[in-house]
mmCIF file with all atom_site columns, all heavy atoms in Angstrom:
data_model
loop_
_atom_site.group_PDB
_atom_site.id
_atom_site.type_symbol
_atom_site.label_atom_id
_atom_site.label_alt_id
_atom_site.label_comp_id
_atom_site.label_asym_id
_atom_site.label_entity_id
_atom_site.label_seq_id
_atom_site.pdbx_PDB_ins_code
_atom_site.Cartn_x
_atom_site.Cartn_y
_atom_site.Cartn_z
_atom_site.occupancy
_atom_site.B_iso_or_equiv
_atom_site.pdbx_formal_charge
_atom_site.auth_seq_id
_atom_site.auth_comp_id
_atom_site.auth_asym_id
_atom_site.auth_atom_id
_atom_site.pdbx_PDB_model_num
ATOM 1   N N   . THR A 1 161 ? 31.213 89.382  -75.004 1.00 97.00 ? 161 THR A N   1
ATOM 2   C CA  . THR A 1 161 ? 30.836 90.746  -75.366 1.00 97.00 ? 161 THR A CA  1
ATOM 3   C C   . THR A 1 161 ? 31.791 91.682  -74.657 1.00 97.00 ? 161 THR A C   1
ATOM 4   O O   . THR A 1 161 ? 31.760 91.799  -73.428 1.00 97.00 ? 161 THR A O   1
ATOM 5   C CB  . THR A 1 161 ? 29.392 91.059  -74.967 1.00 97.00 ? 161 THR A CB  1
ATOM 6   O OG1 . THR A 1 161 ? 28.520 90.083  -75.551 1.00 97.00 ? 161 THR A OG1 1
ATOM 7   C CG2 . THR A 1 161 ? 28.991 92.430  -75.472 1.00 97.00 ? 161 THR A CG2 1
ATOM 8   N N   . ALA A 1 162 ? 32.652 92.328  -75.450 1.00 97.00 ? 162 ALA A N   1
ATOM 9   C CA  . ALA A 1 162 ? 33.679 93.219  -74.887 1.00 97.00 ? 162 ALA A CA  1
ATOM 10  C C   . ALA A 1 162 ? 33.182 94.662  -74.965 1.00 97.00 ? 162 ALA A C   1
ATOM 11  O O   . ALA A 1 162 ? 33.094 95.239  -76.047 1.00 97.00 ? 162 ALA A O   1
ATOM 12  C CB  . ALA A 1 162 ? 34.980 93.057  -75.656 1.00 97.00 ? 162 ALA A CB  1
ATOM 13  N N   . PHE A 1 163 ? 32.850 95.218  -73.802 1.00 96.00 ? 163 PHE A N   1
ATOM 14  C CA  . PHE A 1 163 ? 32.424 96.611  -73.735 1.00 96.00 ? 163 PHE A CA  1
ATOM 15  C C   . PHE A 1 163 ? 33.645 97.507  -73.539 1.00 96.00 ? 163 PHE A C   1
ATOM 16  O O   . PHE A 1 163 ? 34.592 97.149  -72.833 1.00 96.00 ? 163 PHE A O   1
ATOM 17  C CB  . PHE A 1 163 ? 31.442 96.817  -72.583 1.00 96.00 ? 163 PHE A CB  1
ATOM 18  C CG  . PHE A 1 163 ? 30.124 96.127  -72.782 1.00 96.00 ? 163 PHE A CG  1
ATOM 19  C CD1 . PHE A 1 163 ? 29.896 94.865  -72.228 1.00 96.00 ? 163 PHE A CD1 1
ATOM 20  C CD2 . PHE A 1 163 ? 29.115 96.728  -73.521 1.00 96.00 ? 163 PHE A CD2 1
ATOM 21  C CE1 . PHE A 1 163 ? 28.682 94.225  -72.412 1.00 96.00 ? 163 PHE A CE1 1
ATOM 22  C CE2 . PHE A 1 163 ? 27.902 96.089  -73.703 1.00 96.00 ? 163 PHE A CE2 1
ATOM 23  C CZ  . PHE A 1 163 ? 27.681 94.840  -73.150 1.00 96.00 ? 163 PHE A CZ  1
ATOM 24  N N   . HIS A 1 164 ? 33.579 98.690  -74.143 1.00 94.00 ? 164 HIS A N   1
ATOM 25  C CA  . HIS A 1 164 ? 34.676 99.650  -74.050 1.00 94.00 ? 164 HIS A CA  1
ATOM 26  C C   . HIS A 1 164 ? 34.241 100.846 -73.215 1.00 94.00 ? 164 HIS A C   1
ATOM 27  O O   . HIS A 1 164 ? 33.097 100.927 -72.768 1.00 94.00 ? 164 HIS A O   1
ATOM 28  C CB  . HIS A 1 164 ? 35.122 100.046 -75.453 1.00 94.00 ? 164 HIS A CB  1
ATOM 29  C CG  . HIS A 1 164 ? 35.448 98.876  -76.327 1.00 94.00 ? 164 HIS A CG  1
ATOM 30  N ND1 . HIS A 1 164 ? 36.489 98.006  -76.066 1.00 94.00 ? 164 HIS A ND1 1
ATOM 31  C CD2 . HIS A 1 164 ? 34.840 98.395  -77.455 1.00 94.00 ? 164 HIS A CD2 1
ATOM 32  C CE1 . HIS A 1 164 ? 36.532 97.063  -76.983 1.00 94.00 ? 164 HIS A CE1 1
ATOM 33  N NE2 . HIS A 1 164 ? 35.529 97.264  -77.833 1.00 94.00 ? 164 HIS A NE2 1
ATOM 34  N N   . GLU A 1 165 ? 35.146 101.776 -73.001 1.00 92.00 ? 165 GLU A N   1
ATOM 35  C CA  . GLU A 1 165 ? 34.881 102.902 -72.104 1.00 92.00 ? 165 GLU A CA  1
ATOM 36  C C   . GLU A 1 165 ? 33.692 103.749 -72.558 1.00 92.00 ? 165 GLU A C   1
ATOM 37  O O   . GLU A 1 165 ? 32.981 104.327 -71.735 1.00 92.00 ? 165 GLU A O   1
ATOM 38  C CB  . GLU A 1 165 ? 36.136 103.769 -71.976 1.00 92.00 ? 165 GLU A CB  1
ATOM 39  C CG  . GLU A 1 165 ? 37.243 103.104 -71.169 1.00 92.00 ? 165 GLU A CG  1
ATOM 40  C CD  . GLU A 1 165 ? 38.474 103.986 -71.031 1.00 92.00 ? 165 GLU A CD  1
ATOM 41  O OE1 . GLU A 1 165 ? 38.767 104.731 -71.980 1.00 92.00 ? 165 GLU A OE1 1
ATOM 42  O OE2 . GLU A 1 165 ? 39.115 103.926 -69.958 1.00 92.00 ? 165 GLU A OE2 1
ATOM 43  N N   . ASP A 1 166 ? 33.462 103.838 -73.870 1.00 92.00 ? 166 ASP A N   1
ATOM 44  C CA  . ASP A 1 166 ? 32.332 104.618 -74.377 1.00 92.00 ? 166 ASP A CA  1
ATOM 45  C C   . ASP A 1 166 ? 31.065 103.777 -74.504 1.00 92.00 ? 166 ASP A C   1
ATOM 46  O O   . ASP A 1 166 ? 30.079 104.217 -75.085 1.00 92.00 ? 166 ASP A O   1
ATOM 47  C CB  . ASP A 1 166 ? 32.684 105.240 -75.734 1.00 92.00 ? 166 ASP A CB  1
ATOM 48  C CG  . ASP A 1 166 ? 33.019 104.179 -76.791 1.00 92.00 ? 166 ASP A CG  1
ATOM 49  O OD1 . ASP A 1 166 ? 33.027 102.978 -76.433 1.00 92.00 ? 166 ASP A OD1 1
ATOM 50  O OD2 . ASP A 1 166 ? 33.277 104.565 -77.946 1.00 92.00 ? 166 ASP A OD2 1
ATOM 51  N N   . TRP A 1 167 ? 31.079 102.542 -73.965 1.00 90.00 ? 167 TRP A N   1
ATOM 52  C CA  . TRP A 1 167 ? 29.975 101.584 -73.978 1.00 90.00 ? 167 TRP A CA  1
ATOM 53  C C   . TRP A 1 167 ? 29.643 101.053 -75.372 1.00 90.00 ? 167 TRP A C   1
ATOM 54  O O   . TRP A 1 167 ? 28.612 100.419 -75.575 1.00 90.00 ? 167 TRP A O   1
ATOM 55  C CB  . TRP A 1 167 ? 28.717 102.141 -73.304 1.00 90.00 ? 167 TRP A CB  1
ATOM 56  C CG  . TRP A 1 167 ? 28.903 102.204 -71.822 1.00 90.00 ? 167 TRP A CG  1
ATOM 57  C CD1 . TRP A 1 167 ? 29.079 103.324 -71.069 1.00 90.00 ? 167 TRP A CD1 1
ATOM 58  C CD2 . TRP A 1 167 ? 29.011 101.100 -70.920 1.00 90.00 ? 167 TRP A CD2 1
ATOM 59  N NE1 . TRP A 1 167 ? 29.272 102.992 -69.748 1.00 90.00 ? 167 TRP A NE1 1
ATOM 60  C CE2 . TRP A 1 167 ? 29.234 101.632 -69.628 1.00 90.00 ? 167 TRP A CE2 1
ATOM 61  C CE3 . TRP A 1 167 ? 28.951 99.720  -71.071 1.00 90.00 ? 167 TRP A CE3 1
ATOM 62  C CZ2 . TRP A 1 167 ? 29.396 100.823 -68.505 1.00 90.00 ? 167 TRP A CZ2 1
ATOM 63  C CZ3 . TRP A 1 167 ? 29.104 98.908  -69.953 1.00 90.00 ? 167 TRP A CZ3 1
ATOM 64  C CH2 . TRP A 1 167 ? 29.334 99.467  -68.695 1.00 90.00 ? 167 TRP A CH2 1
ATOM 65  N N   . SER A 1 168 ? 30.532 101.288 -76.331 1.00 95.00 ? 168 SER A N   1
ATOM 66  C CA  . SER A 1 168 ? 30.448 100.520 -77.570 1.00 95.00 ? 168 SER A CA  1
ATOM 67  C C   . SER A 1 168 ? 30.932 99.104  -77.255 1.00 95.00 ? 168 SER A C   1
ATOM 68  O O   . SER A 1 168 ? 31.533 98.865  -76.200 1.00 95.00 ? 168 SER A O   1
ATOM 69  C CB  . SER A 1 168 ? 31.321 101.156 -78.656 1.00 95.00 ? 168 SER A CB  1
ATOM 70  O OG  . SER A 1 168 ? 32.691 101.139 -78.248 1.00 95.00 ? 168 SER A OG  1
ATOM 71  N N   . TYR A 1 169 ? 30.675 98.173  -78.143 1.00 96.00 ? 169 TYR A N   1
ATOM 72  C CA  . TYR A 1 169 ? 31.059 96.790  -77.827 1.00 96.00 ? 169 TYR A CA  1
ATOM 73  C C   . TYR A 1 169 ? 31.438 96.024  -79.092 1.00 96.00 ? 169 TYR A C   1
ATOM 74  O O   . TYR A 1 169 ? 31.045 96.373  -80.212 1.00 96.00 ? 169 TYR A O   1
ATOM 75  C CB  . TYR A 1 169 ? 29.916 96.062  -77.109 1.00 96.00 ? 169 TYR A CB  1
ATOM 76  C CG  . TYR A 1 169 ? 28.693 95.819  -77.957 1.00 96.00 ? 169 TYR A CG  1
ATOM 77  C CD1 . TYR A 1 169 ? 28.559 94.667  -78.733 1.00 96.00 ? 169 TYR A CD1 1
ATOM 78  C CD2 . TYR A 1 169 ? 27.655 96.751  -78.000 1.00 96.00 ? 169 TYR A CD2 1
ATOM 79  C CE1 . TYR A 1 169 ? 27.436 94.454  -79.517 1.00 96.00 ? 169 TYR A CE1 1
ATOM 80  C CE2 . TYR A 1 169 ? 26.531 96.541  -78.768 1.00 96.00 ? 169 TYR A CE2 1
ATOM 81  C CZ  . TYR A 1 169 ? 26.432 95.389  -79.528 1.00 96.00 ? 169 TYR A CZ  1
ATOM 82  O OH  . TYR A 1 169 ? 25.321 95.177  -80.310 1.00 96.00 ? 169 TYR A OH  1
ATOM 83  N N   . ASP A 1 170 ? 32.205 94.975  -78.868 1.00 96.00 ? 170 ASP A N   1
ATOM 84  C CA  . ASP A 1 170 ? 32.544 93.996  -79.903 1.00 96.00 ? 170 ASP A CA  1
ATOM 85  C C   . ASP A 1 170 ? 32.103 92.631  -79.406 1.00 96.00 ? 170 ASP A C   1
ATOM 86  O O   . ASP A 1 170 ? 32.264 92.301  -78.218 1.00 96.00 ? 170 ASP A O   1
ATOM 87  C CB  . ASP A 1 170 ? 34.050 93.975  -80.185 1.00 96.00 ? 170 ASP A CB  1
ATOM 88  C CG  . ASP A 1 170 ? 34.541 95.263  -80.801 1.00 96.00 ? 170 ASP A CG  1
ATOM 89  O OD1 . ASP A 1 170 ? 33.934 95.716  -81.791 1.00 96.00 ? 170 ASP A OD1 1
ATOM 90  O OD2 . ASP A 1 170 ? 35.529 95.842  -80.278 1.00 96.00 ? 170 ASP A OD2 1
ATOM 91  N N   . LEU A 1 171 ? 31.545 91.842  -80.317 1.00 97.00 ? 171 LEU A N   1
ATOM 92  C CA  . LEU A 1 171 ? 31.079 90.496  -79.981 1.00 97.00 ? 171 LEU A CA  1
ATOM 93  C C   . LEU A 1 171 ? 32.014 89.476  -80.612 1.00 97.00 ? 171 LEU A C   1
ATOM 94  O O   . LEU A 1 171 ? 32.235 89.495  -81.825 1.00 97.00 ? 171 LEU A O   1
ATOM 95  C CB  . LEU A 1 171 ? 29.649 90.304  -80.479 1.00 97.00 ? 171 LEU A CB  1
ATOM 96  C CG  . LEU A 1 171 ? 28.964 88.979  -80.143 1.00 97.00 ? 171 LEU A CG  1
ATOM 97  C CD1 . LEU A 1 171 ? 28.802 88.817  -78.637 1.00 97.00 ? 171 LEU A CD1 1
ATOM 98  C CD2 . LEU A 1 171 ? 27.600 88.909  -80.829 1.00 97.00 ? 171 LEU A CD2 1
ATOM 99  N N   . PHE A 1 172 ? 32.577 88.603  -79.763 1.00 97.00 ? 172 PHE A N   1
ATOM 100 C CA  . PHE A 1 172 ? 33.534 87.608  -80.232 1.00 97.00 ? 172 PHE A CA  1
ATOM 101 C C   . PHE A 1 172 ? 33.005 86.192  -79.984 1.00 97.00 ? 172 PHE A C   1
ATOM 102 O O   . PHE A 1 172 ? 32.277 85.943  -79.023 1.00 97.00 ? 172 PHE A O   1
ATOM 103 C CB  . PHE A 1 172 ? 34.871 87.742  -79.484 1.00 97.00 ? 172 PHE A CB  1
ATOM 104 C CG  . PHE A 1 172 ? 35.591 89.034  -79.695 1.00 97.00 ? 172 PHE A CG  1
ATOM 105 C CD1 . PHE A 1 172 ? 35.409 90.098  -78.821 1.00 97.00 ? 172 PHE A CD1 1
ATOM 106 C CD2 . PHE A 1 172 ? 36.448 89.196  -80.773 1.00 97.00 ? 172 PHE A CD2 1
ATOM 107 C CE1 . PHE A 1 172 ? 36.086 91.297  -79.001 1.00 97.00 ? 172 PHE A CE1 1
ATOM 108 C CE2 . PHE A 1 172 ? 37.123 90.394  -80.960 1.00 97.00 ? 172 PHE A CE2 1
ATOM 109 C CZ  . PHE A 1 172 ? 36.942 91.440  -80.085 1.00 97.00 ? 172 PHE A CZ  1
ATOM 110 N N   . VAL A 1 173 ? 33.439 85.282  -80.874 1.00 97.00 ? 173 VAL A N   1
ATOM 111 C CA  . VAL A 1 173 ? 33.223 83.848  -80.661 1.00 97.00 ? 173 VAL A CA  1
ATOM 112 C C   . VAL A 1 173 ? 34.588 83.197  -80.505 1.00 97.00 ? 173 VAL A C   1
ATOM 113 O O   . VAL A 1 173 ? 35.444 83.314  -81.397 1.00 97.00 ? 173 VAL A O   1
ATOM 114 C CB  . VAL A 1 173 ? 32.461 83.199  -81.830 1.00 97.00 ? 173 VAL A CB  1
ATOM 115 C CG1 . VAL A 1 173 ? 32.399 81.673  -81.638 1.00 97.00 ? 173 VAL A CG1 1
ATOM 116 C CG2 . VAL A 1 173 ? 31.060 83.753  -81.931 1.00 97.00 ? 173 VAL A CG2 1
ATOM 117 N N   . PHE A 1 174 ? 34.806 82.546  -79.366 1.00 97.00 ? 174 PHE A N   1
ATOM 118 C CA  . PHE A 1 174 ? 36.036 81.782  -79.152 1.00 97.00 ? 174 PHE A CA  1
ATOM 119 C C   . PHE A 1 174 ? 35.739 80.315  -79.402 1.00 97.00 ? 174 PHE A C   1
ATOM 120 O O   . PHE A 1 174 ? 34.755 79.762  -78.897 1.00 97.00 ? 174 PHE A O   1
ATOM 121 C CB  . PHE A 1 174 ? 36.559 81.961  -77.729 1.00 97.00 ? 174 PHE A CB  1
ATOM 122 C CG  . PHE A 1 174 ? 37.721 81.070  -77.410 1.00 97.00 ? 174 PHE A CG  1
ATOM 123 C CD1 . PHE A 1 174 ? 38.992 81.363  -77.901 1.00 97.00 ? 174 PHE A CD1 1
ATOM 124 C CD2 . PHE A 1 174 ? 37.564 79.929  -76.638 1.00 97.00 ? 174 PHE A CD2 1
ATOM 125 C CE1 . PHE A 1 174 ? 40.071 80.533  -77.632 1.00 97.00 ? 174 PHE A CE1 1
ATOM 126 C CE2 . PHE A 1 174 ? 38.634 79.101  -76.347 1.00 97.00 ? 174 PHE A CE2 1
ATOM 127 C CZ  . PHE A 1 174 ? 39.891 79.399  -76.846 1.00 97.00 ? 174 PHE A CZ  1
ATOM 128 N N   . ASP A 1 175 ? 36.601 79.669  -80.193 1.00 96.00 ? 175 ASP A N   1
ATOM 129 C CA  . ASP A 1 175 ? 36.466 78.239  -80.488 1.00 96.00 ? 175 ASP A CA  1
ATOM 130 C C   . ASP A 1 175 ? 37.750 77.548  -80.066 1.00 96.00 ? 175 ASP A C   1
ATOM 131 O O   . ASP A 1 175 ? 38.800 77.704  -80.697 1.00 96.00 ? 175 ASP A O   1
ATOM 132 C CB  . ASP A 1 175 ? 36.204 78.019  -81.984 1.00 96.00 ? 175 ASP A CB  1
ATOM 133 C CG  . ASP A 1 175 ? 35.821 76.577  -82.301 1.00 96.00 ? 175 ASP A CG  1
ATOM 134 O OD1 . ASP A 1 175 ? 36.108 75.688  -81.468 1.00 96.00 ? 175 ASP A OD1 1
ATOM 135 O OD2 . ASP A 1 175 ? 35.226 76.334  -83.373 1.00 96.00 ? 175 ASP A OD2 1
ATOM 136 N N   . GLY A 1 176 ? 37.667 76.792  -78.977 1.00 94.00 ? 176 GLY A N   1
ATOM 137 C CA  . GLY A 1 176 ? 38.837 76.115  -78.449 1.00 94.00 ? 176 GLY A CA  1
ATOM 138 C C   . GLY A 1 176 ? 39.304 74.945  -79.290 1.00 94.00 ? 176 GLY A C   1
ATOM 139 O O   . GLY A 1 176 ? 40.399 74.423  -79.051 1.00 94.00 ? 176 GLY A O   1
ATOM 140 N N   . ASN A 1 177 ? 38.504 74.546  -80.273 1.00 92.00 ? 177 ASN A N   1
ATOM 141 C CA  . ASN A 1 177 ? 38.940 73.452  -81.148 1.00 92.00 ? 177 ASN A CA  1
ATOM 142 C C   . ASN A 1 177 ? 40.145 73.857  -81.973 1.00 92.00 ? 177 ASN A C   1
ATOM 143 O O   . ASN A 1 177 ? 40.989 73.027  -82.314 1.00 92.00 ? 177 ASN A O   1
ATOM 144 C CB  . ASN A 1 177 ? 37.787 73.025  -82.059 1.00 92.00 ? 177 ASN A CB  1
ATOM 145 C CG  . ASN A 1 177 ? 36.647 72.377  -81.288 1.00 92.00 ? 177 ASN A CG  1
ATOM 146 O OD1 . ASN A 1 177 ? 36.813 71.309  -80.714 1.00 92.00 ? 177 ASN A OD1 1
ATOM 147 N ND2 . ASN A 1 177 ? 35.505 73.036  -81.245 1.00 92.00 ? 177 ASN A ND2 1
#
Side-chain angles (χ1 to χ4, degrees):
T161 305
F163 293 96
H164 307 296
E165 289 181 326
D166 60 357
W167 288 108
S168 62
Y169 67 89
D170 294 310
L171 184 63
F172 297 93
V173 174
F174 173 76
D175 190 341
N177 293 295

